[in-house]
Amino acid sequence: MIKIKIIEKTLNKGEIIPLTFDPIFTNIFNNEENICILEDFISIYFDIPINEVIGNLKILSRKLNKNNKLEASKEVDLLLSLNGIKINIELSNRCTIGVRERNLVYICGQHSKQLKVGDKNYQNIKDSIQICINNFNCNERDAIESYYLMNKRGKIYSKKLRIDLIDLEKIKNICYPISNKRFSLFKIFTTNKKVELVKYLEGGIMRDESKEKLIKNVERYSSDEDVFTLYTELSKSELEKNTMIAEARDEGILLGEKRGEARGEKRGEKRGKKLGEVQGKKLGIASEKINIAKTMIQKKFNLDSISEITGLSIKELSKLSIN
């Protein structure tokens, strides 16, 4: 029988937890103390002089509780205001219709909130822009696509509401150096190595203060025990799932061998392997979801966020919370 050894995942020398990990992204970007990083991000993304952003950019969503770093993960959205223009930044690691629909409802809701009781002049409404940073292939033509309300002939009805889709998979495959500053900006989301993060920030893409603060924060959270435990939970569950599959496959092989005949051995091995993989995958996936959910409950994530990430129902999560 094959012996499976589970090895806890660790960060190798020079590795960091990537910015696409929700707690890292939220704790760094949705933080008043790091407003300079956001100022550079917005300046680069919209090609606005940095002097026009400094002092005019505000975080509208809740502030971080400094005593609980992971509390921020309850809300992964980031809502900003630049001179009245609402900018919503969303990070998505899963390609689902539900996530897109949720993001659409959110930005439409924020856009409508600009109306005040008694308003008669709709032209005073500012733009609302949603930037969706997608850590997967969006199946779009370009790495950055903008969407507006338009008719079937492509005539734009309004530019007041805009949704940008960022495809990190496409950006990851773009060779460096890059002349496009926006591509360089999103390159920092595609790496788990400090040396590459530093390289992507070279060339004056950010002010020195912002660059140093970003690198310092990534290193700090990468070495934080709570953040690291949550980050490695998925990897650990994946190892456990693979172990279950391997063990079930081994049992199928042994069952086939006991039947004696060479033909029986082959049939038993094939059947055992297939059954083992199916059973192991089902058990592994279920165990993975439960383990991740338990960890997130312990870290005080809200149940809606946990349900969305794990696929478990609120009822199932409530039982886990009680247990």
Side-chain angles (χ1 to χ4, degrees), residues 194-243:
K194 179 186 174 182
V195 64
E196 290 185 351
L197 176 66
V198 173
K199 179 180 72 173
Y200 297 148
L201 290 170
E202 289 175 349
I205 184 175
M206 280 186 175
R207 291 168 292 170
D208 289 340
E209 176 192 2
S210 305
K211 180 170 65 176
E212 291 170 7
K213 187 166 281 194
L214 177 60
I215 294 171
K216 183 179 179 181
N217 272 270
V218 170
E219 288 183 314
R220 177 160 65 96
Y221 287 118
S222 293
S223 60
D224 184 279
E225 185 177 349
D226 290 337
V227 176
F228 180 76
T229 297
L230 192 57
Y231 174 64
T232 57
E233 188 63 37
L234 182 61
S235 299
K236 180 180 176 183
S237 298
E238 185 69 22
L239 285 169
E240 290 174 348
K241 180 183 74 175
N242 292 337
T243 299

Side-chain angles (χ1 to χ4, degrees), residues 21-254:
F21 185 53
D22 285 342
I24 294 281
F25 174 84
T26 310
N27 278 285
I28 292 177
F29 285 87
N30 207 341
N31 191 337
E32 293 282 1
E33 294 180 356
N34 297 328
I35 193 70
C36 62
I37 297 175
L38 279 169
E39 289 170 344
D40 280 281
F41 183 99
I42 295 301
S43 171
I44 294 166
Y45 188 80
F46 292 105
D47 194 22
I48 303 171
I50 189 65
N51 291 335
E52 294 181 16
V53 181
I54 296 174
N56 296 317
L57 186 68
K58 295 179 179 145
I59 298 177
L60 298 183
S61 43
R62 54 88 192 98
K63 296 180 181 179
L64 280 178
N65 179 351
K66 297 178 184 178
N67 296 321
N68 190 350
K69 298 181 294 298
L70 292 181
E71 191 71 13
S73 301
K74 288 184 177 180
E75 302 174 24
V76 296
D77 59 275
L78 174 58
L79 186 62
L80 308 171
S81 173
L82 178 64
N83 294 321
I85 296 174
K86 286 189 176 179
I87 303 168
N88 170 222
I89 302 178
E90 293 284 345
L91 173 66
S92 299
N93 284 293
R94 295 184 304 139
C95 180
T96 66
I97 295 176
V99 170
R100 280 202 178 193
E101 294 298 329
R102 181 203 67 185
N103 291 346
L104 176 61
V105 169
Y106 184 79
I107 192 62
C108 288
Q110 292 301 326
H111 190 60
S112 66
K113 284 180 182 178
Q114 294 189 52
L115 286 174
K116 301 291 186 289
V117 176
D119 277 352
K120 296 181 180 179
N121 190 346
Y122 288 89
Q123 292 190 9
N124 291 333
I125 294 177
K126 300 282 188 177
D127 293 359
S128 295
I129 303 168
Q130 185 176 76
I131 303 172
C132 299
I133 305 174
N134 298 305
N135 192 25
F136 50 79
N137 189 336
C138 298
N139 294 316
E140 303 287 348
R141 187 187 68 178
D142 297 322
I144 301 177
E145 291 274 10
S146 294
Y147 286 84
Y148 301 93
L149 293 173
M150 62 178 62
N151 65 14
K152 62 182 180 181
R153 294 184 299 278
K155 183 179 179 180
I156 295 176
Y157 180 78
S158 172
K159 284 193 173 183
K160 291 280 187 180
L161 183 63
R162 165 181 153 193
I163 298 176
D164 290 358
L165 295 184
I166 315 300
D167 189 328
L168 291 185
E169 281 296 315
K170 284 187 176 64
I171 290 175
K172 188 185 297 183
N173 295 324
I174 294 175
C175 295
Y176 195 84
I178 310 168
S179 57
N180 188 313
K181 280 192 174 183
R182 287 210 293 181
F183 286 168
S184 295
L185 176 66
F186 288 111
K187 269 287 190 179
I188 67 176
F189 289 87
T190 66
T191 183
N192 67 338
K193 295 181 175 63
K194 179 186 174 182
V195 64
E196 290 185 351
L197 176 66
V198 173
K199 179 180 72 173
Y200 297 148
L201 290 170
E202 289 175 349
I205 184 175
M206 280 186 175
R207 291 168 292 170
D208 289 340
E209 176 192 2
S210 305
K211 180 170 65 176
E212 291 170 7
K213 187 166 281 194
L214 177 60
I215 294 171
K216 183 179 179 181
N217 272 270
V218 170
E219 288 183 314
R220 177 160 65 96
Y221 287 118
S222 293
S223 60
D224 184 279
E225 185 177 349
D226 290 337
V227 176
F228 180 76
T229 297
L230 192 57
Y231 174 64
T232 57
E233 188 63 37
L234 182 61
S235 299
K236 180 180 176 183
S237 298
E238 185 69 22
L239 285 169
E240 290 174 348
K241 180 183 74 175
N242 292 337
T243 299
M244 291 180 191
I245 293 173
E247 288 177 347
R249 184 187 299 126
D250 289 342
E251 289 177 8
I253 292 173
L254 289 176

Side-chain angles (χ1 to χ4, degrees), residues 10-28:
T10 58
L11 292 177
N12 296 321
K13 186 177 180 180
E15 284 188 343
I16 55 174
I17 298 177
L19 284 167
T20 49
F21 185 53
D22 285 342
I24 294 281
F25 174 84
T26 310
N27 278 285
I28 292 177

